[in-house]
Amino acid sequence: MRGNGNGNNDERWVRKKATGVRAWLLLQANGDTEVVEAGKHAIMRRTGLPARDLRILDPLLSYPSTVLGRERAIVINLEHIKAIIIAHEVLLLNSRDPSVTPFVDELRARILRHRHATTSNPKLEMDNPEDGGMKILPFEFVALEACLEAACSVLENEAKTLEQEAHPALDKLTSKISTLNLERVRQIKSRLVAITGRVQKVRDELEHLLDDDEDMAEMYLTDKLVQQQFETSSAEEDHDGDAMDNLLQPDIDEDGTHPEISLEPGGANTSDEDHQNAQHPSSLLRRDSRASTTYSATTKQLDVEELEMLLEAYFVQIDGTLNKLSTLREYVDDTEDYINIMLDDKQNHLLQMGVMLTTATLVVSAFVVVAGIFGMNIKIELFNPDIAGMREFLWTVGGSTAGTIFLYVVAIAWCKHKRLLE
């Protein structure tokens, strides 16, 4: 029985893997959290996203940092955060990752504060921030801000940690060039290049969003949902208004004239206006709809500016992190240049020593020539003990040594004159 149970579990796991079923953490607008297991098609139906957008969140694929605004959802792929934001809920993919747990707690706290603010002061959520109060951000912007803050904070902390490790290692390398210090600096430089690339991708994504107002407008999920509900209710009211128009149309006399309603001064005009409004009750709705549409467009423009300010705040933060990494990269490059200068200086000293030793070998070889000549088996007066003795031998050896030293001094002086030696 146990073996069959394990077999069923393995079969279920293989089936889930084949169909792409993953565990998603669902955070709703009221603060409730729930872990749901859903496949790709279920997520597509729930969020209205195409399959290519879901591939961005696939942990098996390597995609750069991306923030996409779609009709009904916002796709977030920033560092360790892979989420889908809808108008009233957030779907988080890798919620069991230990690095994501603090973000989940922070996001839930922000959602609860947002819910408390909207329930306690519902008027602040309306489009009237000019009366002195602060306008509450929509739900999707609260979640988006949490994602941006978490990603920027992680990158900033990694950059700060790397900077704290880099400066002592570089200073130690400048004081003592060794294999261990060079290896430490090499590892630090590799980490620096990797972090710089990640920060640059996030910065480029934020810059792309700031440069395109249409992409920012796509992120107003709550406004689009409210507008859609308003259009639906307006269509229903127009339909009801047409029905009421048919019911409330006044009777017409046989001669084709309308009955009089009032004989007071101005009564005819009033009756005509009331009759026109009664005949066309939907005209007021259309005027209200046009006014609401104009007000909504103005508010959307202000909201785009508000989202732009939100994105600019984190763009400045990530740009500061990038500048900090650029400064650290310049410090590493300066240290490398200094190390190369020191190595070149040592190499020059070694070359000068090589020149001096080569010159010494050359002049000593002249003395060796003299010794070789005297080593030949020939008969000369210097070898005759009756004519020459120790005194002549010492003069010969001393003269050869003095000549060798003289040649060496001349050679070194010539090299210094030609600036071949310092």
Side-chain angles (χ1 to χ4, degrees):
M1 296 297 293
R2 185 178 302 174
N4 293 333
N6 293 334
N8 294 333
N9 293 334
D10 294 341
E11 183 180 356
R12 190 181 302 110
W13 181 82
V14 171
R15 190 183 300 114
K16 287 182 180 180
K17 184 177 180 181
T19 56
V21 177
R22 293 190 176 90
W24 295 79
L25 179 63
L26 177 63
L27 292 93
Q28 298 180 359
N30 57 3
D32 295 339
T33 59
E34 180 185 2
V35 178
V36 295
E37 291 185 354
K40 179 174 64 175
H41 297 287
I43 297 297
M44 290 169 60
R45 288 192 298 269
R46 190 185 188 103
T47 61
L49 293 174
R52 64 176 181 272
D53 291 340
L54 290 181
R55 281 196 292 268
I56 297 175
L57 304 178
D58 195 342
L60 301 179
L61 302 177
S62 178
Y63 276 90
S65 297
T66 307
V67 179
L68 295 177
R70 293 297 184 250
E71 182 65 26
R72 293 168 49 194
I74 300 175
V75 183
I76 303 291
N77 180 24
L78 294 175
E79 294 299 312
H80 58 289
I81 301 173
K82 300 179 183 297
I84 300 176
I85 302 174
I86 317 177
H88 298 295
E89 61 186 15
V90 178
L91 290 169
L92 193 62
L93 183 58
N94 50 348
S95 59
R96 293 188 176 92
D97 192 347
S99 61
V100 184
T101 303
F103 166 71
V104 174
D105 298 336
E106 176 65 22
L107 178 59
R108 188 170 183 273
R110 286 173 180 257
I111 291 176
L112 290 175
R113 288 196 297 267
H114 177 266
R115 179 173 179 269
H116 176 72
T118 52
T119 53
S120 60
N121 297 316
K123 292 184 178 180
L124 293 180
E125 197 179 9
M126 306 304 291
D127 314 68
N128 252 336
E130 294 133 352
D131 20 350
M134 291 181 59
K135 181 183 176 183
I136 298 177
L137 291 175
F139 173 80
E140 63 271 16
F141 290 170
V142 174
L144 177 62
E145 184 179 9
C147 296
L148 291 174
E149 183 177 352
C152 294
S153 299
V154 167
L155 293 174
E156 186 176 6
N157 292 334
E158 290 187 13
K160 189 178 298 183
T161 302
L162 180 62
E163 186 178 12
Q164 293 174 355
E165 296 178 3
H167 285 286
L170 294 172
D171 294 339
K172 188 177 293 185
L173 179 62
T174 54
S175 61
K176 181 181 179 181
I177 301 176
S178 63
T179 304
L180 180 61
N181 293 335
L182 287 173
E183 179 63 21
R184 289 182 60 188
V185 172
R186 186 192 66 81
Q187 294 177 359
I188 288 174
K189 187 175 181 180
S190 300
R191 290 169 54 191
L192 176 61
V193 172
I195 295 177
T196 303
R198 291 159 53 194
V199 173
Q200 185 68 45
K201 290 177 182 178
V202 176
R203 182 188 179 278
D204 293 342
E205 186 64 24
L206 293 180
E207 186 178 11
H208 172 72
L209 289 175
L210 289 171
D211 291 339
D212 197 338
D213 292 342
E214 294 182 358
D215 289 345
M216 288 190 290
E218 286 292 335
M219 296 184 181
Y220 288 85
L221 306 179
T222 302
D223 289 350
K224 289 191 289 187
L225 182 61
V226 171
Q227 186 69 21
Q228 183 179 1
Q229 293 175 354
F230 175 76
E231 291 176 356
T232 303
S233 62
S234 298
E236 293 177 355
E237 290 177 359
D238 290 341
H239 179 72
D240 295 340
D242 293 337
M244 292 295 295
D245 188 15
N246 296 329
L247 292 176
L248 298 178
Q249 185 174 3
D251 296 333
I252 303 178
D253 295 339
E254 295 180 356
D255 57 354
T257 61
H258 295 280
E260 295 182 358
I261 296 178
S262 176
L263 296 177
E264 297 179 358
N269 296 333
T270 304
S271 62
D272 292 340
E273 292 178 359
D274 292 340
H275 174 66
Q276 291 177 2
N277 292 336
Q279 279 188 333
H280 303 285
S282 62
S283 60
L284 294 176
L285 293 176
R286 293 191 185 96
R287 286 197 294 269
D288 292 341
S289 177
R290 286 194 296 269
S292 301
T293 304
T294 306
Y295 180 72
S296 177
T298 306
T299 307
K300 176 61 74 66
Q301 184 178 2
L302 295 176
D303 285 343
V304 169
E305 295 177 358
E306 184 179 15
L307 177 59
E308 187 176 1
M309 292 176 62
L310 176 65
L311 295 177
E312 280 181 353
Y314 292 99
F315 177 79
V316 170
Q317 181 179 355
I318 201 69
D319 189 61
T321 303
L322 184 61
N323 291 335
K324 187 184 300 182
L325 292 174
S326 300
T327 303
L328 182 60
R329 179 62 181 268
E330 292 177 359
Y331 187 69
V332 172
D333 293 339
D334 293 342
T335 304
E336 289 183 351
D337 295 339
Y338 178 71
I339 296 301
N340 291 330
I341 291 173
M342 291 179 61
L343 293 177
D344 291 341
D345 183 66
K346 289 186 177 181
Q347 186 177 7
N348 291 334
H349 285 294
L350 291 175
L351 291 175
Q352 291 178 7
M353 184 177 294
V355 171
M356 295 175 66
L357 291 176
T358 304
T359 304
T361 303
L362 178 62
V363 295
V364 168
S365 63
F367 183 79
V368 173
V369 170
V370 175
I373 293 175
F374 282 101
M376 295 180 181
N377 190 12
I378 56 177
K379 292 181 179 181
I380 57 176
E381 295 182 352
L382 187 60
F383 292 159
N384 190 354
D386 297 334
I387 300 175
M390 182 60 67
R391 179 170 169 271
E392 285 76 6
F393 176 75
L394 293 176
W395 273 105
T396 303
V397 174
S400 300
T401 303
T404 302
I405 295 174
F406 176 75
L407 290 176
Y408 180 75
V409 171
V410 171
I412 295 298
W414 182 81
C415 290
K416 287 187 175 182
H417 178 69
K418 295 295 183 181
R419 295 184 178 179
L420 298 176
L421 297 175
E422 293 181 356

